[in-house]
Amino acid sequence: MTPTHLPKTFRRRPPLWMVPLFAVVAVLWVFFVWRWGARFTGDASLVGLLLLGLGGIGVVAALMIHTHVRTSLAAAGQTVREDAERDFEVFLNLLPVGTEITDATGRLLYCNQKALEFFGLSETAAKTLDWTHPDFLVLQPDGNPMEPSDRPLNRALLTGRRVQDVVLGVEHEKDGDWVWASVSAEPRFDEAGRVNQVIVTFEDVTKKRTAETELAIQTFRDRLTSLPNRTLFMERLAQAILRTERRKLSTAVLFLDMDRFKVVNDSLGHESGDHLLVQVAKRLRGCLRPEDTVARLGGDEFVILFEDLITINDGLNVAERVSESMKEPFLLDSQEIYATCSMGLALCTLASTSPSDLVRDAEVAMYRAKARGEGGIEIFDPSMNSQALERFQIEGELRRALERNEFILFYQPLVSLRTGLIEGWEALIRWKHPEKGMVPPLNFIPLAEETGLIVPIGKWVIEEAIRQATKWHSDFHSEPPRLMNVNISGRQFQHRELITTVTEALDITGFEASCLKLEITESVMMRDPLASLEAMKVFRGLDIHLVIDDFGTGYSSLSYLKRFPVDTLKVDKSFVDGLGKDAESTAIVGAVISLAKSLGMRVTAEGIETSEQLEMLRALNCDQGQGYFFSRPLPAAQAEELLAKNPVW
Ligand code: C2E
Ligand code: CA
Ligand code: CA
């Protein structure tokens, strides 16, 4: 606000120069009366005339002095007021809060700099606005519009009472963001007691509110996908269960776990894995009614809450829709990826069901679906719980199996497709369980991986395989000496201890390092290609050979493949299965073989079961074969019998 200026005339300096003028006139008057006064009046009245004249001059002089003093004082007062007004304005503009004064119709009379900044308005624009207008959108803290009658200015105008600390949001004129303020309004009255002005102050709380919203997001939302997280899901589920009985309808939980997500994460990297999760979350949302909740529990696990289901079929229909929506490929770094989900559905009709039990039931059903193959769905039935219990038991037994010497290695021959002779062996672990008999590795290796038990188990495998191979080298001589392949799991490969384990085992036995081959799956190698490359270089430096196992099932990048110091590619059994049956597999095997040759690598085909497959592989120039056609994996004693026979295929 600019100070109102007073008229110029009021501010002019008083005519001080007139004072000496009057003194001169007074002296002249005395002289005049004394010299010639008697000529006009006679002696008697001379003194009176003199006094009268002097008195007149004195009155005029006094009047002038009075006027002078008054004008001086007024001018001085004006300056003081002006200075105060200017100071006050500076002060208002320095305040960290916005202030404004409106008239009784809501028009702006005054506002400070902070207020203009807060709204992103120019002073002229702010003054032409009708601040009470219902079209002026104001939000409540929960994001819903605030009723015009609830807004502080309007309330103060209507009720004539002070309104304090109402939090509201308005749109910033310039950048369109929502800004938030804590607003107070104080009415002022005219002489008749009517509200004629309102003073409004507002404190900018946008930052604080953003922090609060952040906190709410952190507490209830999954950062990556913005879906509700476990906490929010469990809260909603608990409420839904409570409503279940009242409405005589069911509540259901669908538990989803992505199949082979680990492969994507391992071979394409975590960033791509994250992209995939975001896309999956979007698709899931698209399959649901607005009232259903889909949440991410963590990792690649999602849950969906259905309320008011009439029959279990309603839940199954959604599961079907989810499966359908996953059929379209996902685009990751311009690569098409196909993903499926295994799903488990659990239903509750009783209000006494605990939310966590219901989620666990759905999870158990999902595990069952997964065990039956990828992309399936199972409905929970109580007998499934016993299987979950079994998993728990196995974990305990697995911990004790090492001490009790329950592991044993089987050996499967690796056959040269040129000579038909046994060139080496692959060591394959078995668990000789006291009650369950021989447990195949796929039933416990994943669990051992999860629990970290794979590290000590893997150490035992390396030591045992090297010990066995050393013995065979001395018992069954061959030229060149036969190799021993050992499988290394992801967790082991990451572990620094692996290098020590291997070198120690080699030192103790004196086994030739170049006769040891480590099989690492393609997906593990691609998990962190740079770290893999470094680890591989160490092994190559020790003259140990490396094999890429299950080749074709991960997502190798050719640029890395070229740099990896790998000796052999092992074509996955699934491609060998299709040899001669489907053109695609045949083409892939052919392509892998020529790729390997061009990179200077050897090729092993695993899972050869028929002579036809063997012949085709020979025709394709494959170097090495492995499979039931030659021999199943054998215990050491039977493997020795085979070595003694030294068969030729
Ligand atoms: P893998 O490394 O791909 O091993 C090949 C699997 O294919 C073995 O299954 C083998 O018995 C099987 N196989 C070989 N030829 C044929 C065939 O002609 N037909 C069929 N149907 N199967 C064939 P196994 O022994 O059950 O091992 C399964 C997986 O367990 C292995 O797959 C490997 O990933 C893992 N594994 C086995 N031993 C170890 C170990 O000591 N350490 C680690 N980390 N993993 C191991
Ligand atoms: Ca293998
Ligand atoms: Ca394999």
XYZ file of all heavy atoms in Angstrom, residues 412 426-430 441-442 445 454 461 487-489 492 519 549-550 573 606-609 627-628 633, ligand 1:
252
model
N 27.089 -88.334 -13.466
C 26.548 -88.644 -14.787
C 27.654 -88.388 -15.822
O 28.285 -87.318 -15.803
C 25.334 -87.757 -15.079
C 24.592 -88.189 -16.342
C 23.310 -87.401 -16.568
O 23.215 -86.238 -16.200
N 22.336 -88.042 -17.199
N 29.522 -85.159 -14.436
C 28.890 -84.056 -13.711
C 28.473 -84.608 -12.357
O 27.793 -85.639 -12.284
C 27.663 -83.497 -14.437
C 27.008 -82.380 -13.615
C 25.837 -81.667 -14.300
O 25.468 -82.056 -15.433
O 25.284 -80.741 -13.687
N 28.912 -83.930 -11.291
C 28.532 -84.359 -9.941
C 27.152 -83.789 -9.610
O 26.937 -82.586 -9.744
C 29.562 -83.848 -8.943
N 26.220 -84.659 -9.215
C 24.850 -84.217 -8.907
C 24.481 -84.692 -7.502
O 24.593 -85.881 -7.184
C 23.876 -84.777 -9.948
C 24.068 -84.200 -11.359
C 23.491 -85.120 -12.423
C 23.467 -82.798 -11.457
N 24.063 -83.775 -6.701
C 23.838 -84.107 -5.287
C 22.492 -84.809 -5.073
O 21.536 -84.591 -5.819
C 23.920 -82.829 -4.412
C 24.047 -83.174 -2.932
C 22.722 -81.933 -4.655
C 24.368 -81.972 -2.055
N 22.424 -85.669 -4.073
C 21.197 -86.324 -3.611
C 21.178 -86.252 -2.105
O 22.237 -86.179 -1.467
C 21.171 -87.809 -4.024
C 21.355 -88.070 -5.506
C 20.063 -87.710 -6.262
N 20.190 -87.934 -7.697
C 20.518 -86.985 -8.571
N 20.810 -85.762 -8.150
N 20.585 -87.247 -9.859
N 17.567 -83.183 -5.930
C 18.056 -81.842 -5.565
C 17.011 -80.733 -5.709
O 17.021 -79.792 -4.931
C 19.231 -81.606 -6.512
C 19.141 -82.646 -7.556
C 18.388 -83.789 -6.977
N 16.133 -80.852 -6.705
C 15.182 -79.758 -6.891
C 14.236 -79.627 -5.701
O 13.616 -78.580 -5.518
C 14.392 -79.935 -8.195
C 15.243 -79.731 -9.458
C 14.416 -79.858 -10.717
C 15.975 -78.380 -9.430
N 17.402 -77.959 -3.000
C 18.380 -76.916 -3.357
C 17.755 -75.509 -3.273
O 18.359 -74.599 -2.698
C 19.011 -77.166 -4.749
C 19.869 -78.439 -4.728
C 19.827 -75.980 -5.230
C 21.220 -78.299 -4.059
N 23.076 -73.392 1.361
C 23.752 -73.854 0.150
C 25.266 -73.643 0.265
O 26.039 -74.387 -0.339
C 23.194 -73.135 -1.101
C 23.675 -73.792 -2.391
C 23.570 -71.665 -1.115
C 23.063 -75.119 -2.666
N 30.103 -80.387 -1.491
C 30.028 -80.949 -2.843
C 31.382 -80.795 -3.548
O 31.900 -81.749 -4.136
C 28.900 -80.277 -3.678
C 28.960 -80.729 -5.137
C 27.532 -80.584 -3.093
N 28.265 -78.227 -9.976
C 27.285 -77.140 -10.080
C 27.484 -76.120 -8.961
O 27.649 -76.478 -7.801
C 25.862 -77.694 -9.990
C 25.526 -78.529 -11.204
O 25.319 -77.999 -12.287
N 25.519 -79.842 -11.029
N 27.461 -74.853 -9.353
C 27.607 -73.768 -8.373
C 26.315 -72.955 -8.385
O 25.862 -72.525 -9.449
C 28.785 -72.840 -8.755
C 30.093 -73.646 -8.874
C 28.936 -71.690 -7.772
C 30.576 -74.254 -7.582
N 25.727 -72.763 -7.226
C 24.474 -72.001 -7.172
C 24.779 -70.510 -7.113
O 25.916 -70.101 -6.871
C 23.668 -72.400 -5.949
O 24.114 -71.659 -4.836
N 26.270 -69.249 -3.893
C 27.663 -69.672 -3.727
C 28.587 -68.814 -4.579
O 29.674 -68.439 -4.156
C 27.799 -71.098 -4.257
C 27.852 -72.192 -3.263
C 27.947 -73.498 -4.021
O 27.044 -73.846 -4.785
N 29.044 -74.196 -3.814
N 29.978 -75.299 -13.193
C 28.783 -75.006 -13.991
C 27.978 -73.919 -13.295
O 27.585 -74.072 -12.145
C 27.914 -76.261 -14.152
C 28.610 -77.353 -14.931
C 27.636 -78.415 -15.464
O 26.418 -78.289 -15.249
O 28.130 -79.366 -16.102
N 25.535 -73.038 -17.736
C 24.537 -74.104 -17.647
C 23.165 -73.581 -18.081
O 22.920 -72.376 -18.037
C 24.466 -74.574 -16.179
C 23.938 -75.995 -16.064
O 23.547 -76.581 -17.096
O 23.922 -76.519 -14.928
N 22.293 -74.503 -18.457
C 20.897 -74.173 -18.819
C 20.858 -73.036 -19.831
O 20.002 -72.147 -19.752
C 20.085 -73.759 -17.580
C 20.042 -74.853 -16.532
O 20.394 -76.004 -16.870
O 19.661 -74.567 -15.389
N 18.140 -78.686 -21.583
C 17.445 -79.905 -21.971
C 16.156 -79.615 -22.759
O 15.798 -80.360 -23.679
C 17.111 -80.692 -20.696
C 16.336 -81.964 -20.918
C 16.121 -82.702 -19.592
C 15.285 -83.940 -19.781
N 13.944 -83.657 -20.322
N 22.535 -81.276 -23.057
C 22.132 -82.105 -21.907
C 20.753 -82.700 -22.154
O 19.980 -82.206 -22.960
C 22.179 -81.308 -20.602
C 21.162 -80.206 -20.500
C 21.225 -79.445 -19.168
O 22.133 -79.658 -18.356
O 20.328 -78.610 -18.973
N 20.482 -83.819 -21.489
C 19.153 -84.428 -21.591
C 18.952 -85.225 -22.871
O 17.830 -85.313 -23.378
N 20.036 -85.792 -23.406
C 19.872 -86.618 -24.617
C 19.261 -87.957 -24.199
O 19.809 -88.657 -23.347
C 21.228 -86.871 -25.312
C 21.902 -85.533 -25.636
C 21.054 -87.726 -26.571
C 23.314 -85.687 -26.198
N 18.095 -88.270 -24.769
C 17.406 -89.498 -24.349
C 17.267 -90.516 -25.477
O 16.994 -91.686 -25.227
C 16.020 -89.154 -23.770
C 16.134 -88.398 -22.446
C 14.805 -88.054 -21.795
O 13.754 -88.156 -22.469
O 14.817 -87.676 -20.612
N 23.118 -87.416 -20.916
C 21.700 -87.746 -20.855
C 21.460 -89.209 -20.560
O 22.395 -90.024 -20.543
N 20.168 -89.529 -20.307
C 19.795 -90.898 -19.949
C 20.165 -91.878 -21.050
O 20.359 -93.061 -20.803
C 18.292 -90.997 -19.652
C 17.848 -90.239 -18.409
C 16.491 -90.148 -18.084
C 18.767 -89.639 -17.558
C 16.064 -89.475 -16.956
C 18.356 -88.953 -16.425
C 17.007 -88.869 -16.125
O 16.596 -88.207 -15.012
N 22.399 -90.458 -13.854
C 23.410 -90.177 -12.825
C 23.566 -91.418 -11.938
O 22.574 -92.055 -11.590
C 22.799 -89.017 -12.036
C 21.800 -88.393 -12.955
C 21.264 -89.512 -13.779
P 21.331 -79.414 -13.929
O 22.633 -78.847 -13.511
O 20.739 -78.890 -15.169
O 21.521 -80.943 -13.980
C 20.992 -81.742 -14.947
C 19.788 -82.407 -14.471
O 19.194 -83.099 -15.555
C 20.061 -83.469 -13.417
O 18.948 -83.537 -12.579
C 20.115 -84.717 -14.234
O 19.827 -85.884 -13.478
C 19.034 -84.451 -15.224
N 19.221 -85.205 -16.454
C 20.373 -85.535 -17.064
N 20.120 -86.214 -18.202
C 18.785 -86.317 -18.315
C 17.920 -86.924 -19.290
O 18.325 -87.509 -20.280
N 16.586 -86.816 -19.067
C 16.092 -86.193 -17.977
N 14.765 -86.131 -17.843
N 16.884 -85.624 -17.042
C 18.221 -85.676 -17.217
P 19.128 -83.617 -11.050
O 20.263 -84.483 -10.684
O 17.797 -83.908 -10.478
O 19.555 -82.143 -10.726
C 18.678 -81.137 -10.912
C 19.313 -79.819 -10.705
O 19.712 -79.667 -9.343
C 20.576 -79.622 -11.495
O 20.239 -79.222 -12.774
C 21.261 -78.549 -10.725
O 20.760 -77.300 -11.098
C 20.831 -78.848 -9.313
N 21.939 -79.525 -8.637
C 22.264 -80.830 -8.611
N 23.338 -81.032 -7.857
C 23.736 -79.838 -7.398
C 24.794 -79.384 -6.564
O 25.650 -80.129 -6.081
N 24.862 -78.062 -6.292
C 23.954 -77.196 -6.823
N 24.076 -75.925 -6.530
N 22.953 -77.575 -7.609
C 22.836 -78.887 -7.893
